[in-house]
Structures are given as C-alpha cells and as structure tokens.
Amino acid sequence: MVDPFEFIDYWQAAGWQKFLRVFWFFFFFEFTRYVLIDFIVLFFYFIKRKIYRGDWEEARRRLYREQPLVSVIVPGKNEGRHLFKLVKSLAEQTYRNFELIVVDDGSDDQTAWIGRDLEQNGLIDLFISNKVRGGKASGANAALSFARGKYIVHLDADCSFDRDAIEEVILPFYYDEKIGAVGGNLEVRNHQESLATSLQAIEYLKVILTGRLVTSTLGIYRIISGAFGAFRADIIHRIGGWDIGPGLDGDITVKIRKLGYKVHFQPSAHGLTSVPNSFAKLTKQRLRWDKSIIRFRLRKHRDIFYPNEQFRFSNFFSSLENLTYNVFMNIKWYIYFIDILFNFGGLLKFIIPMNILLYSMANFIQFAAIIFIVQKPEEKRRLFIYLPLMVLYTGFYLRIVRSVAHFKELFFYSSYKDPWNPYKSSRMAKQLGL
Amino acid sequence: MQLNTQVKSIKTLQKSKERILDLECDGFLFAYITDRFDGDMALFEGYDGAIIQPTSTLLMKDLLHRFRSASDWTARLLPIFIHQPMELEFKYRQLVDGVIHQLDQLFPAVEQVKVIKAHLVNFQLKTFPTYEKDTIYKLLIYLLSRKQNVLKAFIDRNSSTGYTYMILEGLLAGKSPYRLLEFAVEEGLFHTEFQDSVYTCNSCEDGFLMYREACPKCHSTYLTSQDLIHHFSCAHIGPEKSFMKNDQDLSCPKCDKSLKHIGIDYDKPAVMHHCNTCHHEFQAFQIVATCCTCHKTTEVEHLFKRNIYTYHVTDKAMEFVKAGADFTRQPATESNIPGTLSEAAFYLNMQYEITKAGKNRVMAGFIRWAPYETLLDKMGRQGYQLIRTNIANQVKSSLQSIDFLSVLDNALVFSCLQCSQDLAQRIVERTVHLLSHLIKDNLTNLSIEFEGSWLALNHREDVKLEIIEHLNRPAW
C-alpha cells in the first residue's frame, strides 16, 4: 500500500508532461470521448430541446389527431412468467390505439398456456405459439407478418413501461418524417438485487441514457435496443424485418440507416428491464452482444465503409465510432497496458491508484450529470457508492469479456455456434455468410 | 307354486276397438291390455293390477307414463306388469312392477301386488295445492310403495338434457325435473350421489348442442387454416400462401431464395387460422355451441353446466309420507332467488315499516347494473340468473338481519331499516364497490357497471310509485 503523502509528492514532482505521458489513454481517448464530448453535446442537446419545444408539442397534436394503430410485438422464449406484468403495464398506457402481438418461440415451459389464456381474456390481441423454436428474429418476423399497425413497437417481455412510453416512443415520427426508427430509454429494474445488477444500472444510465442521447444528437445513433424500440412499419416491411441474430437489433438499425432514414433516441420513452443478476450470467450475455459487433459491423455491413452510391458520412461515422471505441480501443488499451508495464513497471504503485482516482473522478462527474437528467434521481443516488467499483467493472471485467468475444468471433466465428439461435438457422446463416 | 289364472270377462272399448281382458288369479283381478290402449284411466278402478302386452317400446313407454301421471291415485299406483318372453330393459323397470313371461304363471305378480297394497296402507294419500309439492309427494308414494329407494338418471336421446329420470318423466309431463328434485333435497327427502355432469344451453337448458370451431372475434365458422413457414437463412416467417410460387414451388418473399427441403431450408412451426368473415388471424379457435332447440350460439365457457345426480330416498321421506306431513318451505320459482322477496311483497313490507315508523323516515337502498341486454345475451337466462343470485347474496351479506330485499331484472332494492341517511349511503357505496370488484376479479371477460343510490321514503307517498319512479331515473 502506497503512503498517501508519498503518492501526492510523487505526482507533484512528476509534472504535467509525465502525467500526460503515463495517462495518455485516459486523457486522449476516454476522458475526451466520454466526458468532454458528452458534456458539450448534452449542452447543445438541452438548448436544442428548449428551442424546438413548440415543434414537439405540435408533433404530439399531430399524433393525437391521427391516432395511428401501433402494433406492439413481443417475441420471446419461456417468457410466460413476465407476460402478465407486461400486459398490465401496457394496459395503463396513455396511448390506447395499439394491438399487442405476443410470439412464443417454441417455449418449453407454461408460456403457451399463459399467453393463450391472456389472449382469451382479451389482454393480448394475437398470441402466436410456434411449436418449434426459430430464434428471436423469426419470432419478431412472425409477429410482423400479422401486424396491422402503422408503427411497430418491439418489446422484450421482461420489461415494463411508464404510462406514456408508447406515446413518447412514436412521437418522434411526427416530429421528423425522416425518422425511420426510435429507440426507447431503458433503465435497470432490479438494480438493488446484487452487485452485478447495481453496476449494470450505472452502466445503463451511462451507456443508454447519456451515450445514446449523445450519439443520437450527433446523428450516429447505431443501436435500437430490442427491448424497447419503435419502427415505421413500411420501412421494416421494406427491409424484410429482422435477420438472424445475435445482435439483430443493431443489425436492423444499420439496415434502416442504410435506406437513408434517421434513427432517433427518445429519452422520455422510459421503460425498465431486468438484467442478469450474477456475473456468470452477465458474462454469457455480454459475450453474445460483443460478438455481434464483429459479425455485423465488421463483416455483414462492411460496405458502409465503401465509397459507393449508398455511402453516407453519418453511417460511416456511426460504424467507425462503434468499431473504434469497442474494438480498436480495446486493442489499444492492451498496448497502453504493455507500454506502462515496460516503461513504467517500477511505478505501478503510483500509477494504479492514480488511474483508479482519475476514472472514478470521471465517473463521478458523469454520474452527477446523469442525476440531473434522470427520472426519480433519489432512487439512483444510492448507486454513487458503487462508482469506485465501476473502474474495475468497465476497465477490466467488461474489457476482458469483450476481448474474449472479439477474439472468438474474429477467428472462430463462434456466434454461429451460440445456442441462443437454433442450430438450423445458424448453420444456414454461416453457409450464406450472413 | 302355480296359481290358476282364469279369464273372467272381456271389455271392448267403444272408440278404439281395444279390449281389456280381465284375468283373475287367487282372488286378484288383473286388466290385460296391449300398449295401444288409449282409453280412460278411470277404467282401472277396481283392478288389483294391469298386464301390458307390448308391441313397441315407444308405445309401451307412453302408456306407462300415462299410468304414472294419471290424476287419480288408483291408476297412478296400480301395479303394472309387462307380458313378454324377454327381460325388460333396465331403465323401464322402475316404471313397472315386474315381467310376466307366461300368463299361467302369475304368482310372482300376485305376491308383488300384495306387497304394494301392504305398503300403501301405511301412507297418507293426499294432494298438495302446489304443483312441485304434489309431484314430489306422489313420486315418494310411488317409490316407497315399491320399496324403491333410488332414482337414477338414464341417458336418453329424447330427453332435453340427454338424461332422464324415467319415473319422473311421466309425472312431469315434459317439464324439467331438476328444480323439483333440488327442492326435494332441500326438504331432506332425498340425498344426492354424483352421477355425471352435462352442458346445456344457457337460454333454454336444452342439452342438444352443435359444437363448432369459430372465429374468436365474430364467431363465424367460415374459416381457412394454413401453415406458417419459417425460412431458416433469413428468419422470415409468414403464411404458406405468401411463399407459394407457381402453385407448387416455395420461394421466400423476403430473400427470393427457393425453399426445397423441409428441415434443411425451412420448417412449419405453427398453424394460423383466418376468418373469411372478419379477416381476423388467430391460432386458438373459439369453440361455440349452437342450441338445436332455440338456435342460440354460445361460447362454450358460457354454457350452463348441470350436475346429474342419483337421488336416494331418505328415512325422513318415509316418515314424511307415513304422516302425510307438510313441506317446510316454498319451492323456488324460476326467477325467484332464495332469501329475497318478490317485488309486490317488498312494497307491502316497506309500507308496513313506513307505517310503523310514523313520522320517522325509512331508508331504502338501490343498486342497478348494466348492460342488461348484453349480459342476458351473453350469459343466457341461466347464467344471468346465477349472476343475479350472486349479487343478491353479496348485498344480503352487507345488510342487517332485519332488512329485506327484492331483485328486479337489472336492479335490486333493499330496506335500510334503523339506518340514518349517512349510514344508508355508506352501505350502498360499500356494496357497489364490493360488487364491482367481485365481478372484475371473477368474470374477466364480462364487464358490468354498478351504480347505487339511496332514498328516504316518505310516509305520505305511495311507496311503490316512489320506488319505481326512483328506479326509472336515468341518473342517480
């Protein structure tokens, strides 16, 4: 353990040049991207929101004048236990003109029975029970085949929503007709359950609320969460619905962007989701998510980087930013780590505590800003005590999981072996290079 | 032991050329007739028994029913024997007292007549002014005179519920036996043993129903079904029709790839049904039943379920007919709800209470529900009656023991004796709240709106008019 006075004395004596040399990764990449740029963009976002408030009110009036039919689709496997809670939260919605289509994707529990019962009692408009599992994408497409709405809202069954969530998530379509898809804002419902869920709650607030608000404002918003997103039905039919996952939500967002439509994040469309309550489950989930970056961004949609007639700068930057901060920066971090180990190996007792201090400080600044814009801030304040652990969570744990996922996907195409998708579909997808 | 049987005389009926052959055996006189006999039942006065020669089961059954439902005790309780070489079908045995294979062997019949006569001596043969009481009493006398303690239901395609109680069928002349038997059970004259349960029309109680698969939205039976196809490589799912190309080949509408091999390229994970009337898509049919009698189509969940019991005569019944005792309660009529008053009785009682109260006001509470016609249509007469009964029971539980109530078609009125206006208001509000929750929690596919009101009845006014006027007010 380093003596605090020795620690302070050392960094005082080292000077700012050495300080920057040692922590170049933090200052030039992480702090700049996730604190500095975020703050600047958020500042402009709030100003813009204030200026265009009247336009949003007009959009709401247009929405209520038209009252379009919205198809809420919920595909899933073994989600029966969540269905009643979900339909209850949907029954409370301020926007009433929607149909609810639930797809049971070959469940082997009581989902089919529960779903059918809810349908017979009028709480679900259409319940489709597939006897054979086809995967999440096929479930969503089955619902899409029978959806009649002008807009499609895709939800996960384990989510619940604020009373105005549907109204808020379709509102942007009436604000800007070039918007083709809207992502909803998800927070963690079970944040008090375990350390893993508390850390994910902070991560969701940072990545979804702040991160997506920033990328949306910059026009490079790249993923509409499958748990809560809205799409224009004509566009989604045009692109043939969802393709095989994992990572189908990111994939469909890119497909919509490629058609030239804007993708918007709506922070006021608010829902809650349950996250994995143990690190083992979380690791499994993140390995799946992280593999999709390689599979979809780097392979399937690599044409975004080609200077052809479909080329768009916004799409180019959207994918570039994604790959830079998720793949390349990940590699760069290892370079940084080796650099420190080789060049400053003897100073680790000063570097590690300072690293933790810097990242914690950045986390505190970020989280303090989040508390100002988040719903029910009093509930979120308890998460402050977990902020020091975020350094280990994002800096090491998630980074290592991500590295493993990228490595496995890059060299072994392991997403095609993921049991999350049925073998029959993965086999065909791999064969066709999808 | 063989007794000598003699033909004593032959009477020919004037109208139908049918004859009654008098047979005497050991001092007992039997009337020998065929099942075509259509003469007056009074002709059997003075006979100890009758022997029927059947020509068809239907005619025999009709004649037996004529005997057992005859207005006079003699014909109704007359020992009847069937003359045929074979044994009688089990379900008809309760209507007769035996089978005679040969006419010169009447000894068993004579013995049976003696037993019946010996029993009948102990019973009071009386009549009751009400149809229900009279029928039950006659049924008991008949059963006990034959030492029959069990009333069993038999499957019968000619019965409206599919089950018949042979002996009762004659007594009831086409009316439903169930309410009558329930009354007898309430009186302690029978106890029940579960036999079966059947579904009947909720409107006319008929058991002959046609079951069909129908659209859950519009109940149309004009439906077509098709498989859903899942194309593995692009995850597209859609109805088989959307994949059809040239009526034979399958091609994916999303990616244009040809689907050749089930299990390799595609599978069929589910079946979807399409309603050709309202174009609704669905997977689960609504099973509906159409009544063959009243033609009402009902969702099977709303059919009326009736338990069929075997009824056992109790010891109390034996004492009851020996003493010629009176019934302790009144039978419930179709629209009557136990523990409630008829509308007329309610007004009368209310008038008494108002007179008794002098210048003090008497409070009355009102609860009405809607939509009446929709409920009646959906639930049927039986189902709606059940709802009325449940509502009445819930309201009763909220009232003091001295209060009384009457249930109207879609409303209920009750007394709030010894209540202030505030208390009456609280009772009404609490009851409406309870009823709303009761219905909401238990009948998820039905919506019933309740509203309540209270009124201080004026002793100077006509109570009936005042209540009716209040009930007819569109808003309370």
Side-chain angles (χ1 to χ4, degrees):
Chain A
M1 188 77 186
V2 66
D3 176 5
F5 295 105
E6 192 189 348
F7 174 76
I8 294 166
D9 288 345
Y10 175 79
W11 287 114
Q12 268 181 346
W16 65 271
Q17 276 175 321
K18 188 169 184 183
F19 197 67
L20 280 182
R21 168 67 187 88
V22 173
F23 299 109
W24 59 269
F25 190 81
F26 173 78
F27 283 111
F28 292 117
F29 295 102
E30 308 243 327
F31 183 77
T32 313
R33 166 65 186 85
Y34 293 115
V35 181
L36 217 58
I37 294 180
D38 277 10
F39 267 74
I40 293 166
V41 175
L42 283 177
F43 175 73
F44 282 108
Y45 165 77
F46 284 111
I47 289 177
K48 200 176 151 192
R49 198 173 75 169
K50 208 155 196 163
I51 293 170
Y52 293 105
R53 199 164 53 193
D55 291 353
W56 281 103
E57 278 163 15
E58 179 52 32
R60 199 179 299 276
R61 276 194 288 276
R62 275 204 299 273
L63 165 66
Y64 271 91
R65 266 201 300 274
E66 187 185 328
Q67 294 265 350
L69 177 68
V70 175
S71 296
V72 178
I73 64 171
V74 188
K77 184 188 176 221
N78 293 347
E79 301 281 14
R81 65 205 153 107
H82 303 300
L83 286 180
F84 186 72
K85 209 188 293 176
L86 174 78
V87 296
K88 276 292 192 193
S89 92
L90 291 176
E92 294 292 312
Q93 289 298 310
T94 51
Y95 191 79
R96 307 298 310 158
N97 192 21
F98 67 88
E99 59 172 6
L100 177 59
I101 304 173
V102 177
V103 180
D104 155 33
D105 184 31
S107 296
D108 47 23
D109 64 356
Q110 300 292 311
T111 300
W113 185 87
I114 294 166
R116 194 66 71 210
D117 190 62
L118 292 170
E119 184 192 36
Q120 280 163 358
N121 286 309
L123 296 166
I124 290 175
D125 294 292
L126 175 61
F127 179 72
I128 302 170
S129 180
N130 289 336
K131 303 286 171 237
V132 188
R133 185 174 158 238
K136 184 97 174 191
S138 77
N141 289 334
L144 188 63
S145 284
F146 299 98
R148 296 172 301 130
K150 187 178 177 184
Y151 300 103
I152 309 290
V153 175
H154 184 293
L155 306 179
D156 272 357
D158 61 351
C159 297
S160 56
F161 301 92
D162 284 6
R163 296 186 72 247
D164 59 353
I166 290 184
E167 179 182 334
E168 289 296 325
V169 85
I170 55 171
L171 185 63
F173 296 117
Y174 288 81
Y175 176 75
D176 183 349
E177 60 181 23
K178 284 304 282 176
I179 289 176
V182 180
N185 178 15
L186 283 169
E187 284 183 32
V188 174
R189 184 201 288 128
N190 55 338
H191 62 88
Q192 293 185 322
E193 201 178 330
S194 64
L195 175 65
T197 60
S198 295
L199 295 175
Q200 285 173 87
I202 299 171
E203 186 197 2
Y204 270 60
L205 288 170
K206 283 170 67 176
V207 176
I208 295 189
L209 178 60
T210 323
R212 292 184 182 175
L213 206 55
V214 169
T215 50
S216 177
T217 309
L218 291 172
I220 56 169
Y221 177 33
R222 59 182 178 261
I223 182 163
I224 287 176
S225 166
F228 187 22
F231 307 87
R232 260 173 56 179
D234 58 334
I235 296 173
I236 211 156
H237 279 295
R238 204 171 132 197
I239 58 173
W242 285 264
D243 289 348
I244 299 169
L248 61 161
D249 36 8
D251 176 56
I252 201 161
T253 317
V254 174
K255 282 162 73 180
I256 291 168
R257 292 189 68 101
K258 277 181 171 178
L259 286 179
Y261 289 99
K262 289 182 188 171
V263 180
H264 180 84
F265 175 70
Q266 182 74 337
S268 53
H270 186 254
L272 296 172
T273 186
S274 294
V275 293
N277 56 4
S278 71
F279 285 104
K281 287 180 195 164
L282 179 63
T283 306
K284 219 167 143 187
Q285 183 200 58
R286 292 308 165 92
L287 281 172
R288 195 173 68 239
W289 287 6
D290 290 327
K291 280 173 199 170
S292 69
I293 290 173
I294 303 293
R295 180 162 158 182
F296 291 105
R297 306 272 168 192
L298 211 58
R299 293 201 189 112
K300 187 178 174 183
H301 295 297
R302 62 180 180 275
D303 57 340
I304 271 185
F305 300 107
Y306 298 163
N308 54 24
E309 51 193 35
Q310 263 113 39
F311 180 84
R312 280 189 179 81
F313 274 110
S314 60
N315 292 348
F316 175 83
F317 283 118
S318 170
S319 280
L320 186 68
E321 193 265 355
N322 191 204
L323 286 169
T324 305
Y325 278 90
N326 280 288
V327 183
F328 306 133
M329 291 286 279
N330 215 29
I331 299 166
K332 214 157 193 169
W333 185 85
Y334 288 103
I335 295 168
Y336 169 73
F337 196 69
I338 293 163
D339 170 40
I340 295 295
L341 223 56
F342 274 91
N343 295 319
F344 305 99
L347 299 174
L348 285 179
K349 67 170 184 177
F350 298 115
I351 294 170
I352 292 171
M354 181 52 86
N355 213 342
I356 292 173
L357 198 69
L358 285 173
Y359 276 98
S360 296
M361 214 172 64
N363 282 336
F364 269 100
I365 295 168
Q366 263 184 312
F367 202 70
I370 287 167
I371 290 295
F372 274 105
I373 56 173
V374 81
Q375 282 190 17
K376 296 179 184 166
E378 62 285 354
E379 280 181 20
K380 314 290 182 319
R381 278 190 203 118
R382 65 169 279 278
L383 295 170
F384 265 111
I385 57 166
Y386 295 97
L387 284 179
L389 290 174
M390 286 302 285
V391 182
L392 299 174
Y393 177 72
T394 49
F396 292 92
Y397 167 70
L398 287 183
R399 203 182 293 279
I400 290 164
V401 171
R402 197 180 304 138
S403 305
V404 172
H406 291 171
F407 183 79
K408 285 173 93 172
E409 183 60 25
L410 212 49
F411 298 105
F412 302 105
Y413 290 80
S414 69
S415 69
Y416 294 99
K417 295 168 199 154
D418 198 316
W420 187 80
N421 245 356
Y423 172 71
K424 60 188 179 189
S425 301
S426 291
R427 187 176 53 84
M428 289 301 290
K430 192 176 177 186
Q431 207 174 309
L432 297 167
L434 296 170
Chain B
M1 188 178 173
Q2 192 166 331
L3 297 169
N4 189 21
T5 310
Q6 290 181 343
V7 177
K8 207 177 169 189
S9 64
I10 300 172
K11 291 177 200 143
T12 303
L13 302 183
Q14 285 179 347
K15 285 180 185 169
S16 63
K17 294 182 186 171
E18 284 296 315
R19 298 183 305 173
I20 301 175
L21 191 69
D22 291 352
L23 297 176
E24 193 185 75
C25 181
D26 199 22
F28 288 89
L29 186 62
F30 292 91
Y32 187 86
I33 52 173
T34 71
D35 56 11
R36 294 178 197 280
F37 179 83
D38 55 0
D40 192 348
M41 286 290 133
L43 289 169
F44 296 96
E45 184 75 41
Y47 285 97
D48 297 302
I51 300 168
I52 300 172
Q53 184 197 19
T55 56
S56 82
T57 312
L58 205 65
L59 287 173
M60 179 192 74
K61 191 178 136 193
D62 284 349
L63 183 59
L64 288 171
H65 280 153
R66 281 188 62 208
F67 270 105
R68 297 312 178 209
S69 59
S71 53
D72 68 296
W73 282 108
T74 313
R76 183 188 287 260
L77 296 172
L78 192 71
I80 296 174
F81 303 89
I82 301 295
H83 177 213
Q84 64 175 30
M86 295 164 303
E87 282 304 321
L88 197 62
E89 209 180 320
F90 188 79
K91 61 183 181 182
Y92 297 117
R93 287 186 200 166
Q94 202 161 43
L95 291 168
V96 301
D97 296 290
V99 176
I100 294 166
H101 300 301
Q102 289 178 320
L103 282 178
D104 57 353
Q105 291 174 1
L106 287 184
F107 171 67
V110 169
E111 287 303 307
Q112 179 67 5
V113 170
K114 284 179 187 170
V115 170
I116 292 168
K117 281 180 176 281
H119 278 123
L120 282 172
V121 173
N122 298 321
F123 302 146
Q124 304 292 321
L125 303 184
K126 61 189 269 192
T127 52
F128 288 85
T130 2
Y131 160 78
E132 288 86 356
K133 291 177 181 178
D134 199 47
T135 311
I136 289 169
Y137 195 79
K138 281 171 177 163
L139 172 70
L140 283 174
I141 295 280
Y142 178 82
L143 290 174
L144 291 170
S145 65
R146 267 74 179 172
K147 288 191 88 173
Q148 291 181 13
N149 294 324
V150 179
L151 193 61
K152 191 175 167 63
F154 293 94
I155 292 177
D156 182 2
R157 62 175 295 147
N158 296 314
S159 158
S160 67
T161 56
Y163 270 99
T164 185
Y165 295 93
M166 272 298 169
I167 183 66
L168 263 175
E169 204 178 308
L171 288 174
L172 294 169
K175 289 187 180 173
S176 166
Y178 302 105
R179 199 167 297 118
L180 197 83
L181 287 165
E182 279 163 22
F183 174 59
V185 171
E186 281 169 22
E187 280 288 314
L189 304 173
F190 288 103
H191 69 83
T192 55
E193 180 193 344
F194 177 79
Q195 195 177 323
D196 199 0
S197 61
V198 291
Y199 285 95
T200 61
C201 171
N202 63 20
S203 182
C204 70
E205 275 195 74
D206 199 281
F208 288 93
L209 304 162
M210 283 197 299
Y211 293 90
R212 277 95 47 80
E213 290 165 333
C215 167
K217 225 169 199 177
C218 70
H219 287 182
S220 165
T221 52
Y222 183 28
L223 309 170
T224 45
S225 304
Q226 60 176 323
D227 288 318
L228 284 186
I229 287 185
H230 168 212
H231 184 210
F232 297 156
S233 61
C234 73
H236 181 68
I237 283 199
E240 188 167 12
K241 207 174 161 185
S242 65
F243 283 79
M244 290 303 284
K245 191 179 163 187
N246 309 328
D247 288 339
Q248 275 189 336
D249 299 329
L250 292 172
S251 168
C252 178
K254 177 176 169 181
C255 65
D256 282 337
K257 283 199 177 65
S258 176
L259 277 64
K260 296 277 186 201
H261 201 133
I262 191 162
I264 302 291
D265 300 326
Y266 68 98
D267 63 6
K268 296 179 173 181
V271 177
M272 287 299 285
H273 312 295
H274 174 81
C275 173
N276 296 307
T277 308
C278 72
H279 303 291
H280 180 49
E281 305 276 355
F282 58 95
Q283 276 193 315
F285 292 114
Q286 174 70 59
I287 308 294
V288 294
T290 302
C291 176
C292 296
T293 306
C294 71
H295 298 183
K296 186 180 179 226
T297 297
T298 314
E299 292 172 9
V300 287
E301 295 85 354
H302 292 134
L303 288 175
F304 188 69
K305 187 181 178 186
R306 177 175 290 290
N307 282 346
I308 305 293
Y309 296 105
T310 297
Y311 293 86
H312 296 268
V313 180
T314 60
D315 294 341
K316 185 186 171 187
M318 177 63 94
E319 298 307 317
F320 184 74
V321 291
K322 273 183 182 170
D326 215 341
F327 289 83
T328 55
R329 64 196 79 194
Q330 290 299 319
T333 59
E334 200 177 306
S335 58
N336 213 354
I337 294 168
T340 66
L341 298 180
S342 69
E343 207 178 334
F346 180 85
Y347 298 138
L348 195 65
N349 275 284
M350 214 56 190
Q351 193 69 62
Y352 288 149
E353 292 298 331
I354 290 166
T355 313
K356 211 158 66 182
K359 286 185 177 174
N360 295 326
R361 290 188 302 181
V362 174
M363 298 300 299
F366 301 83
I367 286 167
R368 67 183 171 196
W369 53 90
Y372 170 56
E373 280 83 9
T374 314
L375 285 170
L376 196 60
D377 183 54
K378 197 147 189 169
M379 306 289 294
R381 208 161 33 87
Q382 295 293 333
Y384 185 65
Q385 175 68 357
L386 208 63
I387 286 195
R388 284 174 80 229
T389 309
N390 282 325
I391 292 171
N393 289 338
Q394 181 60 48
V395 175
K396 262 196 290 177
S397 67
S398 305
L399 301 179
Q400 295 181 72
S401 56
I402 53 163
D403 285 316
F404 44 89
L405 73 156
S406 179
V407 188
L408 316 175
D409 282 342
N410 63 330
L412 184 147
V413 53
F414 55 92
S415 68
C416 290
L417 306 175
Q418 299 173 358
C419 279
S420 64
Q421 188 158 336
D422 284 351
L423 186 57
Q425 179 182 349
R426 277 207 299 279
I427 290 172
V428 168
E429 284 171 353
R430 190 184 57 200
T431 313
V432 166
H433 177 76
L434 281 171
L435 285 169
S436 303
H437 276 270
L438 188 77
I439 296 295
K440 200 177 169 189
D441 294 346
N442 291 290
L443 298 168
T444 45
N445 51 358
L446 273 184
S447 158
I448 306 181
E449 296 294 330
F450 289 94
E451 61 174 335
S453 172
W454 55 94
L455 183 68
L457 293 166
N458 194 329
H459 69 282
R460 286 184 295 273
E461 301 285 335
D462 181 336
V463 174
K464 185 179 172 181
L465 274 178
E466 208 174 349
I467 288 176
I468 289 174
E469 194 186 300
H470 189 75
L471 278 167
N472 289 337
R473 274 185 204 159
W476 279 349

